[in-house]
Amino acid sequence: MQRRLTRRSVLKGAGVALGLPWLEAATDPKVKAPVRLAALYMPNGTREDLWTPAKTGRDFELSPMLAPLKGLESELLVLTNLWNANSKGGDGHYVKVSGWLTSTTITKTLGVDVSCNGISMDQLAAQKAGRVTPITSLELGVAPVTTGVDKNVGYTRVYGSHIAWGGPTSPLAREIDPYLVYERLFRATQPPSANAAKADTALLDRVLEEANTLRKQLNAADRHRIDEYLSVVRSLEQRLERTNRPEGRNWKPRAPLAEANKPPVTPKDFAEHVRLMMDMIAVAFQTDTTRIATFLFGNEVTNQNFSFVDGVKEGHHTVSHHENNAEKLEQYARIGRWHVAEYAYLLNKLKAMPEGDSNVLANSIIVFGSGFRDGNKHDPHNLPTVVAGRAGGRLDPGQHLTYGPDSPLANLWLSLLNAFGTPVERFADSTGPLSGVLLS
């Protein structure tokens, strides 16, 4: 790279963003393609009356909310009657989002002692499979972490900004700048030089030393915040060590990634920002720089302005509390369909990326959903949930599957961990794999 990306520049940020051209996969068709896993979270629920397809089985037709997925029906599993029992209590939003991929009940707290009381399914997969790629997992969003206390419900707002948890007290830091994501992906595909590795290690050691010195001068709350920061730095250190080991250098990207393809400008608006992040996930999976990704379309309780969508003039959270007002319900539906359309954009990008005699989508598991159904009721029953992809032939898509009332969402996570190639006997409150999802 002409301008070498240092650890300090990663930590500080650059404040610029990019658009990508799409590359054809340059893979050996004789080498079995890896399976990828992504989970995309839509905040504030959905129009429940427009979500569920009328028919079940393989001849289902897309519902009004799922209409943007037209043409992708054969790649979809639409799942009805799943719920997260462990998010039923607590508040309307925070328990649902931080408990979505963990299927646990988060600890109610106003500040530093955050805990989801578990590990998210993506990170369980990362523990088992993430070491084979330069980047263990990719956590993405479009908004900074929300801080402070939501006095209406007595929870720290930090919970609303995380779906990926490395452990009970470890919400994973998200990257929200597409420019930095691209540079991180680019650097991971380049062979490390000995001098660069030594310089980065020395810089990282200095950061750790300075942070530990500062820690001794702080009160308990600030020490906790420093500890969270240090956990991120140590994660960078571990990734650096793995990349520079001989076995790490044996990894090769499955498709080229050129530094010259970086777009030069920051996202002009929210829609462009989201689209760039969809691009980042696609190129990360195409190159095999990582096989695991999560993305938040927005922090929970977001009141993002969606006036760029025809017919919408109010914020997302405002219209989600529709109180059955016809005008708000229509805006709520339009916002929901916009989210589904962005999901469809990612799926079509992955499907258009050849991989041997198949494509990247066919070798992926791409989940889309929310932690509750209707924004007016904050109901964790019958969660809006779609899975796309075939996991390299392990999933059986092209179906709308309906289960008995209140079937555990954790059964889906158990099934997807199996399909990803990191099976576990049990996950959270699971009772067994979901019928019809996996090919025997």
Side-chain angles (χ1 to χ4, degrees), residues 107-154:
T107 297
K108 186 173 185 178
T109 176
L110 302 179
V112 297
D113 53 337
V114 295
S115 177
C116 73
N117 297 298
I119 181 173
S120 56
M121 59 86 70
D122 61 296
Q123 289 306 300
L124 188 58
Q127 285 183 0
K128 295 173 176 286
R131 294 182 179 277
V132 298
T133 56
I135 298 175
T136 304
S137 61
L138 202 57
E139 291 73 46
L140 304 177
V142 291
V145 172
T146 308
T147 58
V149 175
D150 189 329
K151 296 180 180 179
N152 293 320
V153 292

Side-chain angles (χ1 to χ4, degrees), residues 131-193:
R131 294 182 179 277
V132 298
T133 56
I135 298 175
T136 304
S137 61
L138 202 57
E139 291 73 46
L140 304 177
V142 291
V145 172
T146 308
T147 58
V149 175
D150 189 329
K151 296 180 180 179
N152 293 320
V153 292
Y155 281 82
T156 171
R157 295 181 186 273
V158 170
Y159 279 129
S161 306
H162 296 283
I163 56 173
W165 291 75
T169 60
S170 301
L172 297 185
R174 297 170 297 114
E175 180 56 73
I176 64 173
D177 189 328
Y179 178 91
L180 293 182
V181 177
Y182 191 88
E183 290 222 338
R184 184 177 172 193
L185 295 175
F186 180 85
R187 185 175 184 180
T189 65
Q190 308 307 302
S193 70

